[in-house]
Amino acid sequence: MKRNIAIVAGGDSSENPVSLRSAATILEYMDKDLYNPFIVEIEGKKWEAHLSDGGRAKIDLNDFSFTWKGSKTVFDYAYIIIHGTPGENGVLEGYLRLMRIPFSTCDVLASALTFNKFILNKTLRSCKVNVAESSRIRKGEDYDADHIINKVGLPCFIKPTDGGSSFGTTKVKSRDQIEAAISAAFQENDEIMIESFMQGTEVTNGYYKTRKGEVRLPVTEVVPKTEFFDYDAKYNGQVQEITPARISDELRDRIQDLTARIYRLLGCKGIIRNDYIITDGDTINLLEVNTTPGMTATSFIPQQIKAAGLNLTDVLTDIIEDSF
């Protein structure tokens, strides 16, 4: 009997439209001979299954099911593709744990930890992973621009601690830009971080592990045409993405080793994608751990899967079946 799969998308952050585009890719490539997949769109308290006839059906949160034309469908599995809250920060994972429904992403703790970039940096720094110097401000707290400059230098990045797709992120080059950048970041989240700028080559690397073994995806070099890898670079073609990256085999292996080490350290599950910047030729610095990386047609993970000679349908099947 086919398993009923919820491709859970949407969410409550600015990344909602990107998440829905990722969900469309997952739906397209999921093996229909093995699964009955439905996009389940979440926004606030509105949870709805997308139906094949274009209709919507309300999700019953008592058992994560929906009823349509007198027939009830209970989901066996959740493939989470929400970029942002509540799917990337552990909240949705906690609900699914209570429902005893397996899911594709990291568990509650790892999801919450990786979602807060400031706490993640502090945690991984203690494990001897290179990260940028940073500080944090919560909404309502006083801050001193001179203290910020003394701690992280200029230029620097000011961004929400939670979130993605570079929403609310500003590259600050002068003292008089700090106030506006902080205000922009607080539009996205009640907690922000100020992070030192690192000059170098930006790369990104995907990885996942099942009982069959680990899969180290190729490294992609990221060359934005914009000031930094912002929303336009990510989704509007303002970037050159080179897979495999133009780096030595030795450096590639070290990046892949570090991605695998971070996966183990954090207790990750499913596909992750780590972003790095290479400074001084061969120093690997972690920028971010993405536990629900984008899966749109132009996203890195589908590109890396293709470059590795793998099939996205088979990858999705491996991840789903590993939970059973």
Side-chain angles (χ1 to χ4, degrees), residues 7 70 86 108 121 140 156 170 227 241:
I7 304 169
V108 176
N121 280 11
C156 67
T170 304
E227 181 72 22
E241 299 165 358

Side-chain angles (χ1 to χ4, degrees), residues 29 204-206 208 215-221 241-246 252 256 297 299-312 315:
Y29 284 93
T204 188
N205 177 226
Y208 70 94
V215 176
R216 299 182 174 206
L217 294 173
V219 178
T220 298
E221 182 179 349
E241 299 165 358
I242 304 165
T243 308
R246 299 171 298 183
R252 175 205 63 204
Q256 292 175 324
S299 295
F300 290 118
I301 292 297
Q303 290 182 45
Q304 292 178 4
I305 287 172
K306 183 178 180 180
L310 301 174
N311 181 287
L312 180 55
V315 170

Side-chain angles (χ1 to χ4, degrees), residues 60-182:
D60 183 347
L61 296 180
N62 290 297
D63 59 1
F64 198 44
S65 69
F66 69 88
T67 300
W68 185 249
K69 295 181 179 179
S71 178
K72 182 173 181 175
T73 298
V74 179
F75 288 111
D76 302 303
Y77 183 90
Y79 197 101
I80 301 172
I81 198 64
I82 292 177
H83 312 312
T85 185
E88 200 169 4
N89 58 358
V91 174
L92 178 59
E93 287 80 0
Y95 163 74
L96 293 168
R97 273 288 185 196
L98 288 173
M99 293 294 102
R100 305 293 194 269
I101 296 170
F103 49 88
S104 60
T105 56
C106 298
D107 217 330
V108 176
L109 177 59
S111 296
L113 178 60
T114 54
F115 193 61
N116 188 301
K117 299 178 183 70
F118 180 77
I119 299 299
L120 175 68
N121 280 11
K122 297 303 180 186
T123 300
L124 289 179
R125 183 190 290 273
S126 71
C127 298
K128 310 301 182 185
V129 175
N130 296 323
V131 296
E133 188 66 52
S134 62
S135 61
R136 175 179 62 185
I137 305 172
R138 293 190 174 99
K139 187 169 284 188
E141 290 182 345
D142 293 330
Y143 65 88
D144 182 275
D146 292 324
H147 175 74
I148 290 172
I149 294 170
N150 289 335
K151 183 173 178 60
V152 302
L154 289 174
C156 67
F157 285 102
I158 296 179
K159 59 187 180 182
T161 58
D162 298 353
S165 294
S166 300
F167 286 111
T169 299
T170 304
K171 183 178 180 180
V172 173
K173 298 180 179 179
S174 61
R175 188 184 187 282
D176 59 7
Q177 294 177 320
I178 290 176
E179 183 177 354
I182 288 176

Side-chain angles (χ1 to χ4, degrees), residues 242-262:
I242 304 165
T243 308
R246 299 171 298 183
I247 57 177
S248 68
D249 290 350
E250 185 269 341
L251 181 55
R252 175 205 63 204
D253 291 346
R254 287 174 51 216
I255 291 168
Q256 292 175 324
D257 286 346
L258 180 55
T259 302
R261 177 173 173 247
I262 290 171

